[in-house]
Amino acid sequence: MSLERELIKRSGGKCELSGATENLKVYQTLPTRKGGIDESILINETLLNQIENPETMDANLWRCLNDSMWSEHLPVQVVSWRMLSRLKNQELLEQMYLDEDDLAWAQATGEGEDDENKLVHRDSNGVILQTGDSVVLIKDLKVKGSSMVAKQGTAVRNIRLDHENETYIEGKVDGQQIVIITAYVKKI
C-alpha cells in the first residue's frame, strides 16, 4: 500500500491538522529517521505552503492546532508543536506533552529557539537553506578522507543542516554522505 493511501486511511481522508478534505498532500516531518507513515502526515496544501514559507503565515488558519495537538499520531503532534512555537503560543505549548526524544525531534528544525540563538544556514547567494532543500555545487570539491571529487554542478538533494555550525550542511554525493561548506552551494 502506498504511503498516501495509508495516510488517507489513517486520517479518514482529511487533513490531520485542520480536517479539510480538499487539496491534500503528504508531508514528511523532517528530519526523517526511517521515513514512512510514522514520520508523515496528510496536510492541506494551504497549510503546507505556510509551513514551507514562514513569511506567509496567517495565524487564523492555525486555530486548528487547538485540536490537532492532541492527536494520537506523533508526526501530527510534532508538526503542531513546531507551528505553535512559530506562532509563539506559549499557553498551548505548556499544555502539550512530548517525551524527551519526541521533543528533540520537534526541536530539530530550530522552531522554538530565540531568533538570536538560531543558526541560519545561507548558500553562496545568501539564500536561507532549510533541512530537505536541494542545492547544487558551484565548485569542484575534494572530499577529505577519500579520493573522491564532488564535481561542480552536482545536485545534492534532501540536505541536512548542522545544528552546531551554520557554515556546514550534510548531503549525499555519489551515494556517500559528506559535509559541505555552504559557501560552495547554491539552492535549487
Side-chain angles (χ1 to χ4, degrees):
M1 185 182 292
S2 77
L3 177 59
E4 184 174 12
R5 279 188 273 168
E6 288 181 66
L7 287 170
I8 289 170
K9 184 178 177 184
R10 178 176 86 185
S11 69
K14 297 178 182 176
C15 171
E16 294 185 89
L17 296 176
S18 68
T21 57
E22 295 180 4
N23 301 321
L24 301 177
K25 304 281 184 192
V26 173
Y27 175 68
Q28 196 156 36
T29 310
L30 299 173
T32 57
R33 297 180 269 193
K34 58 185 177 213
I37 193 167
D38 294 330
E39 295 182 2
S40 302
I41 66 171
L42 197 62
I43 186 170
N44 174 274
E45 187 174 18
T46 303
L47 297 180
L48 178 59
N49 289 335
Q50 291 194 15
I51 289 173
E52 294 176 342
N53 303 301
E55 62 278 355
T56 65
M57 287 287 293
D58 178 359
N60 289 324
L61 294 178
W62 293 98
R63 292 182 183 187
C64 58
L65 296 175
N66 294 344
D67 296 325
S68 64
M69 65 187 253
W70 303 110
S71 172
E72 64 185 273
H73 305 291
L74 181 59
V76 177
Q77 293 173 9
V78 166
V79 172
S80 296
W81 186 95
R82 289 177 182 172
M83 299 318 297
L84 287 169
S85 294
R86 187 179 291 175
L87 294 166
K88 300 188 183 338
N89 189 330
Q90 291 301 319
E91 182 181 338
L92 290 180
L93 279 171
E94 289 173 7
Q95 294 178 31
M96 278 191 83
Y97 173 78
L98 293 173
D99 68 32
E100 197 172 305
D101 290 340
D102 298 336
L103 183 58
W105 183 29
Q107 294 172 331
T109 60
E111 293 293 346
E113 291 182 17
D114 294 335
D115 288 339
E116 68 263 8
N117 296 335
K118 193 184 266 189
L119 294 177
V120 178
H121 295 73
R122 295 183 185 271
D123 73 0
S124 60
N125 295 327
V127 176
I128 295 175
L129 299 172
Q130 302 285 337
T131 297
D133 283 347
S134 296
V135 296
V136 64
L137 300 179
I138 62 169
K139 172 182 176 175
D140 287 353
L141 301 174
K142 291 183 180 180
V143 178
K144 288 185 179 180
S146 78
S147 61
M148 183 177 136
V149 174
K151 298 289 186 185
Q152 177 180 351
T154 301
V156 182
R157 306 203 185 287
N158 198 18
I159 64 167
R160 295 184 185 185
L161 306 179
D162 184 316
H163 294 289
E164 295 176 8
N165 189 331
E166 63 194 24
T167 61
Y168 294 153
I169 60 172
E170 295 179 20
K172 282 191 176 182
V173 175
D174 295 335
Q176 184 176 350
Q177 188 79 11
I178 64 171
V179 175
I180 307 166
I181 298 173
T182 55
Y184 302 125
V185 299
K186 180 174 70 173
K187 185 174 178 179
I188 299 176

